[in-house]
Amino acid sequence: MEDKILNTELLINKLLEEEEEFHHVNNPAADIKPVIKKYLGVPNHAEQLGNKIYFTDGDAKVEVVVVTDEIIRVRLAPHGVFLEEFSYAVPKLVHKDASFILLENESEFIVSSRVVNCHIRKKDFFISFSDKKNHVTSADAVPMHWEENVKFGGYYVFCTKVCEPEESFFGLGDKPTELNLRGKRLKNWNTDAYSFAWNQDPLYRSIPFYISLNEDIAHGIFFDNTFKAQFDFGAEDKTKTSFWADGGELQYYYIHGPHMMDVVKSYHILTGTHPMPPLWALGYHQCRWSYYPEAKVRKITKGFRENKIPCDGIYLDIDYMDGYRCFTWNRKYFPDPKKMISELAADGFKTVVIIDPGIRVDDNYSVFKEGKKNRYFCRRSDDYFMEGHVWPGRCQFPDFTNPEVRTWWGGLFDELVEMGVAGVWNDMNEPAVFGAGTFPDDVRHQYDGFRGSHRKAHNVYGMQMVRATYEGLRTIMKNKRPFTITRAGYSGVQRFSSVWTGDNVASWEHLQLGNIQCQRLSVSGIPFCGTDIGGFSGEPDGELFTRWIQMGTFSPFMRAHSAGDTKEREPWSFGEPYTAINRKFIELRYRLIPYLYSTFWEHHRYGFPILRPVVMQEQDVLMNHFRQDEFTYGDKILICPVMQPGQTSRKVYLPKGKWYNFWTNEMVDGGQEVTVPTPLETIPIFVKAGSVIPEYPVMQYVGEKEIEEVKLNIYYSDYEANSFLFEDYGETFAYEQDIYLEKKFVVNGDSKKLTIQQSMEGLYTPRYEGYHFTLLGLPFKPGKIVADGKEITDFTTSKEKITEFKFSKNFKNIEIFK
Ligand code: GLC
């Protein structure tokens, strides 16, 4: 026993001694450096591992990957450890047979693909890119840098590049500001921005992709980082362009042009394109918060048919639900939804219903019960449920970043599809929470196994919601194409949905803003976009509404929508002359559906945007970097909306080449501004010489009648021009098995002759037999027409010099002689 006490004493003494010793040691905390921004040092080493090349300054590491000949990805690991590779935007990092070499000279390492060189300067780790003519397109102004984030872990990450004196910037999604972003600082953080204003930032979507244009060479930067991020295009310092984020990796893709179009196409190689929409979705959609009860819905749809105004989509906003509980029906307002939907469908209307992410906390509500039982709802850091108020009251929110939750969510659409619902509208998915704005930062997300807080998941929440919706619908609808529309999104959202620009205002300023926003979304990889025609809040007068319908006719997505406290807002609500003009434009929308559908195919298959700002047509003209009114719809039709009240004429810039005024068929030389009359009945529309514009007969809805012939409007040109026509079933995924027809037309003419050639690819056979040819702008009166060796005698030429005739849809070569 005594021994034991002795031993204990010894032990205590020993410990005390040790403690003393400890006190003699310098305080380890004194060695910890204060948190400051750190910059890459001097790269002392380059190492190639497979297709990745690593550079290090001894501590930090930089990885360079040649993704394609035009795309190079750069990543930074402040202490040498990269995060596991995962991206919602880039589902698969393609390496399209990208070969490269690693070179070294005295001053730099160079990773060189067949198109781009990535230079890593030995002196200071500056990274720059050049083309094969050694033209530097992008250069660091300071080395990549970071700052430790003590509160959350990880780093704030920064990249700063040189901003050249005449450099212009485009992209970044739905920012409500000038098209050229030069001189702006903008933030990405998805935000419910009711009645947003010019320059308000951020809005609903985060698209961290921009296009730079300098000295006629374009390149893109895609900063694939989902955290709150900012971009500064020479705002703070006009010689610098910076982008940075509150966390995640400093990871960006340099995308080489040299043309803006090349950049957009390559961006789509990374993030994917929009699937082919159901053909009906290219028609006109009518929405309102809300059409209810059933009698009101029927009155509206009947109104379209009685007024002979085409319409395909009819929307049910939140009031169709029982207490705003998603996947339920208010049976008082809609006693038999299946019957209503099927009767609407028989009259050509496709019903689209809204579904929000907030699930009402209610133990008698099956969706809530299932979600709760399976732990599908988001939780706070201390394990409390994330609760917030939205339309239904107190709600919890599915964690759409969890694949199991997405599958569950997708399955919930079973009953709606069974009832005949054709499309789903996902709203409030920034996510929006009344009062608080959105979720607090500490909410946890499964993030497909790469767990994170809401700081990381916020900007992808909406995209993952609409992904769950789209994938669910796709499974349930089998081979039928679903239609989806979302308010929030992140890069890549185009693989799952169309978008609208959110809660705009019935003002002329918002008409201008909407025009810019749709063009910007288009160059940011989101082709299927539109505005709330007429403005969501406030009251448009007849003139504003008509001007908006005219612009909306040329938005890839065309929907009128309005808030609940506004007056009736259908295309006939303003009386004449507005109704007739609205009808004429909506009819024009339907006539041009085969053209729009073909441009959609060009997007889906080749990554072209549907709307193209003038700068994309002619990027070498500096003035075009600042034009934001006119745009082309596909590459053949130039539109310039009228965006001022009482405007009777306006200036329109036409890119070089020859153009036809759509209304008068008069030919005009491009490369100049022209003054065009703009009575309320028209807006400036020009068609490029050499175009073949396919046209369907006007119908009250897509598929109302069998198409007996397709009209081909051929605009004479004295140079060779190509046009395309895409056809398929319009509602299935058979196109993925090559069941489609891609037709190419080549038009060429001189002073005595015009030739039209057609070639085809694909396995689809349309049911109509022939084309109705309409030749416009011929500089001679046709004397003889020969089609595939046979003379056509049955043609007419009007006093307006329009020649018309019919021939087989399978023609190969048609010659029109003086
Ligand atoms: C949001 C949407 C709007 C919708 C309303 C009611 O404000 O942006 O389009 O009508 O909620 O659901």
Side-chain angles (χ1 to χ4, degrees):
M1 180 70 180
E2 235 175 56
D3 268 7
K4 232 185 180 180
I5 291 173
L6 205 65
N7 282 348
T8 313
E9 263 173 26
L10 279 175
L11 191 69
I12 289 172
N13 283 339
K14 193 161 181 278
L15 280 175
L16 282 173
E17 259 169 43
E18 268 176 21
E19 200 170 302
E20 222 140 85
E21 243 171 68
F22 175 79
H23 280 296
H24 289 296
V25 173
N26 285 339
N27 183 349
D31 270 351
I32 298 177
K33 302 208 173 66
V35 174
I36 46 161
K37 267 191 194 167
K38 290 193 181 164
Y39 294 76
L40 282 171
V42 174
N44 55 29
H45 188 64
E47 186 184 4
Q48 184 176 339
L49 285 175
N51 62 2
K52 296 179 171 165
I53 306 121
Y54 294 94
F55 303 91
T56 177
D57 63 5
D59 186 14
K61 252 190 187 174
V62 170
E63 178 198 83
V64 172
V65 185
V66 179
V67 182
T68 69
D69 288 340
E70 295 80 16
I71 307 175
I72 293 190
R73 189 182 75 181
V74 176
R75 288 209 288 167
L76 164 75
H79 289 296
V81 183
F82 290 96
L83 298 178
E84 270 181 88
E85 281 205 34
F86 174 73
S87 166
Y88 282 121
V90 184
K92 202 166 146 254
L93 200 61
V94 276
H95 300 275
K96 215 177 61 188
D97 124 62
S99 71
F100 64 91
I101 43 168
L102 171 62
L103 305 167
E104 184 177 354
N105 61 31
E106 246 172 52
S107 59
E108 54 186 23
F109 299 103
I110 307 164
V111 180
S112 189
S113 81
R114 279 177 289 223
V115 175
V116 198
N117 309 309
C118 171
H119 307 256
I120 291 93
R121 198 153 82 183
K122 287 186 173 167
K123 184 168 71 159
D124 47 19
F125 229 133
F126 275 39
I127 296 181
S128 61
F129 298 88
S130 68
D131 63 15
K132 290 290 145 173
K133 290 183 195 141
N134 286 327
H135 185 103
V136 176
T137 51
S138 160
D140 278 351
V142 284
M144 293 197 280
H145 46 294
W146 62 92
E147 184 179 311
E148 201 161 341
N149 184 337
V150 180
K151 197 162 161 207
F152 292 101
Y155 309 90
Y156 297 94
V157 290
F158 306 83
C159 187
T160 300
K161 301 196 167 283
V162 174
C163 181
E164 298 291 347
E166 287 195 345
E167 197 170 353
S168 292
F169 300 92
F170 303 94
L172 280 203
D174 60 353
K175 303 297 182 196
T177 190
E178 283 75 17
L179 191 65
N180 187 340
L181 298 172
R182 170 91 199 200
K184 317 239 174 226
R185 175 180 284 201
L186 298 149
K187 189 184 282 174
N188 277 354
W189 185 250
N190 292 358
T191 302
D192 173 11
Y194 173 78
S195 291
F196 57 89
W198 192 282
N199 278 335
Q200 187 170 322
D201 183 53
L203 297 191
Y204 305 89
R205 277 164 285 276
S206 295
I207 312 295
F209 162 60
Y210 71 81
I211 304 166
S212 140
L213 182 54
N214 187 48
E215 295 180 349
D216 198 16
I217 300 181
H219 76 266
I221 295 288
F222 172 38
F223 178 31
D224 188 10
N225 181 310
T226 62
F227 284 75
K228 187 180 282 172
Q230 302 202 51
F231 292 80
D232 186 303
F233 301 105
E236 188 180 305
D237 173 344
K238 63 179 188 309
T239 65
K240 294 191 179 95
T241 300
S242 299
F243 50 92
W244 64 98
D246 285 5
E249 236 170 20
L250 179 46
Q251 163 182 249
Y252 70 87
Y253 295 83
Y254 168 87
I255 306 172
H256 193 72
H259 200 277
M260 279 177 78
M261 189 63 85
D262 304 320
V263 178
V264 173
K265 285 170 70 181
S266 284
Y267 172 75
H268 281 298
I269 290 177
L270 292 170
T271 62
T273 59
H274 201 293
M276 287 306 284
L279 194 59
W280 67 263
L282 301 185
Y284 176 77
H285 301 232
Q286 183 67 37
C287 187
R288 169 105 172 141
W289 178 17
S290 305
Y291 288 133
Y292 74 95
E294 175 174 334
K296 178 78 185 179
V297 179
R298 289 184 185 267
K299 189 166 166 246
I300 297 299
T301 51
K302 203 160 148 242
F304 275 95
R305 300 301 178 240
E306 279 174 3
N307 282 290
K308 294 245 165 295
I309 296 179
C311 181
D312 266 270
I314 183 82
Y315 284 60
L316 300 181
D317 203 330
I318 48 177
D319 299 285
Y320 80 90
M321 298 183 244
D322 173 18
Y324 307 128
R325 288 171 188 81
C326 291
F327 307 100
T328 68
W329 287 85
N330 180 321
R331 295 285 172 166
K332 202 169 111 225
Y333 299 150
F334 296 94
D336 190 348
K338 187 170 179 176
K339 181 160 173 275
M340 177 189 78
I341 294 169
S342 84
E343 287 171 12
L344 291 177
D347 197 15
F349 289 96
K350 289 80 188 171
T351 304
V352 180
V353 297
I354 196 168
I355 289 285
D356 290 348
I359 299 298
R360 191 189 158 100
V361 175
D362 171 358
D363 281 318
N364 295 315
Y365 165 37
S366 66
V367 178
F368 178 73
K369 278 196 298 190
E370 276 181 37
K372 181 176 169 184
K373 188 176 101 217
N374 295 307
R375 305 173 69 84
Y376 287 157
F377 297 121
C378 293
R379 287 172 180 249
R380 305 288 302 271
S381 59
D382 291 330
D383 224 28
Y384 301 112
F385 282 105
M386 162 59 218
E387 291 198 344
H389 283 253
V390 228
W391 306 121
R394 218 165 134 85
C395 285
Q396 292 186 11
F397 303 83
D399 181 8
F400 295 108
T401 70
N402 180 340
E404 198 184 323
V405 176
R406 288 200 296 270
T407 307
W408 165 68
W409 181 263
L412 294 173
F413 291 94
D414 235 347
E415 213 174 290
L416 288 172
V417 172
E418 206 266 322
M419 284 179 171
V421 162
V424 175
W425 168 22
N426 282 166
D427 187 22
M428 306 291 278
N429 51 354
E430 290 70 32
V433 176
F434 294 157
T438 189
F439 293 1
D441 280 347
D442 70 289
V443 169
R444 290 140 40 188
H445 293 271
Q446 201 261 4
Y447 215 94
D448 278 68
F450 299 87
R451 291 182 309 259
S453 75
H454 197 61
R455 296 169 68 243
K456 177 160 108 175
H458 176 82
N459 284 338
V460 295
Y461 187 84
M463 171 192 186
Q464 294 312 301
M465 177 188 184
V466 78
R467 171 186 179 182
T469 301
Y470 181 80
E471 287 174 347
L473 291 174
R474 201 175 156 165
T475 310
I476 300 164
M477 293 167 111
K478 308 227 162 53
N479 196 26
K480 232 172 149 197
R481 296 176 204 168
F483 169 74
T484 41
I485 174 162
T486 179
R487 198 170 68 174
Y490 180 73
S491 289
V493 67
Q494 72 273 8
R495 302 196 300 277
F496 313 111
S497 185
S498 65
V499 305
W500 90 106
T501 58
D503 295 342
N504 60 357
V505 181
S507 69
W508 291 93
E509 187 183 57
H510 263 269
L511 182 59
Q512 291 168 33
L513 212 45
N515 182 23
I516 297 172
Q517 284 183 295
C518 288
Q519 293 182 57
R520 194 195 314 290
L521 284 164
S522 301
V523 300
S524 308
I526 301 188
F528 202 15
C529 56
T531 57
D532 280 351
I533 292 176
F536 179 69
S537 61
E539 300 288 356
D541 59 12
E543 184 190 2
L544 176 59
F545 186 79
T546 289
R547 290 304 195 189
W548 216 313
I549 284 276
Q550 292 172 333
M551 181 177 89
T553 298
F554 302 98
S555 292
F557 173 65
M558 186 184 191
R559 181 184 79 163
H561 182 37
S562 49
D565 56 355
T566 59
K567 290 192 203 128
E568 307 250 290
R569 196 84 75 72
E570 289 77 45
W572 58 86
S573 302
F574 300 90
E576 296 299 347
Y578 307 107
T579 306
I581 304 172
N582 297 341
R583 180 187 300 111
K584 185 178 80 176
F585 270 82
I586 297 174
E587 285 179 354
L588 178 57
R589 169 84 179 189
Y590 278 74
R591 282 163 54 195
L592 292 175
I593 275 184
Y595 173 76
L596 174 57
Y597 196 51
S598 303
T599 65
F600 220 117
W601 174 251
E602 287 190 333
H603 164 76
H604 169 73
R605 182 157 179 192
Y606 305 106
F608 289 101
I610 295 175
L611 300 188
R612 306 169 189 192
V614 171
V615 62
M616 222 168 192
Q617 303 284 334
E618 247 180 18
Q619 65 178 37
D620 57 322
V621 179
L622 193 58
M623 267 298 283
N624 289 346
H625 298 203
F626 303 94
R627 291 190 199 278
Q628 52 190 20
D629 287 0
E630 47 283 85
F631 59 86
T632 65
Y633 183 62
D635 66 339
K636 309 272 180 248
I637 303 181
L638 183 131
I639 303 297
C640 189
V642 176
M643 297 171 290
Q644 303 283 343
Q647 193 166 19
T648 52
S649 73
R650 68 153 299 156
K651 282 210 168 84
V652 179
Y653 176 77
L654 300 174
K656 284 179 215 80
K658 295 205 164 80
W659 297 86
Y660 287 86
N661 182 322
F662 176 77
W663 304 108
T664 62
N665 295 324
E666 178 202 355
M667 194 161 78
V668 191
D669 279 324
Q672 59 166 342
E673 275 185 354
V674 292
T675 301
V676 186
T678 54
L680 190 62
E681 294 73 34
T682 68
I683 54 167
I685 303 177
F686 289 86
V687 183
K688 206 165 190 184
S691 300
V692 177
I693 307 288
E695 198 180 307
Y696 279 173
V698 171
M699 297 197 196
Q700 296 309 299
Y701 55 89
V702 168
E704 184 198 14
K705 294 180 218 144
E706 180 86 27
I707 290 169
E708 280 162 9
E709 64 182 13
V710 170
K711 200 168 164 199
L712 293 184
N713 298 301
I714 297 158
Y715 291 84
Y716 170 87
S717 80
D718 56 6
Y719 50 81
E720 189 175 295
N722 296 342
S723 300
F724 295 90
L725 172 59
F726 173 82
E727 297 173 304
D728 74 349
Y729 290 113
E731 55 176 21
T732 72
F733 285 95
Y735 69 88
E736 291 181 345
Q737 266 71 51
D738 293 346
I739 318 283
Y740 63 81
L741 208 53
E742 191 183 293
K743 296 172 173 171
K744 182 175 161 195
F745 303 107
V746 182
V747 170
N748 202 353
D750 58 33
S751 58
K752 295 190 192 112
K753 191 179 155 197
L754 178 74
T755 55
I756 311 151
Q757 289 164 317
Q758 177 180 246
S759 54
M760 305 188 210
E761 178 206 306
L763 305 171
Y764 173 75
T765 314
R767 289 173 58 174
Y768 62 85
E769 284 307 320
Y771 290 137
H772 178 129
F773 293 83
T774 303
L775 309 178
L776 302 121
L778 284 181
F780 53 84
K781 187 162 188 286
K784 186 174 166 190
I785 299 180
V786 180
D788 292 342
K790 275 185 256 133
E791 189 171 343
I792 296 181
T793 47
D794 195 10
F795 66 90
T796 59
T797 301
S798 71
K799 66 176 189 315
E800 287 82 27
K801 296 188 190 142
I802 298 172
T803 298
E804 294 184 68
F805 60 94
K806 297 185 185 210
F807 196 67
S808 158
K809 67 178 177 196
N810 296 322
F811 86 90
K812 290 204 167 57
N813 188 35
I814 297 183
E815 288 164 302
I816 297 108
F817 299 95
K818 190 167 173 177

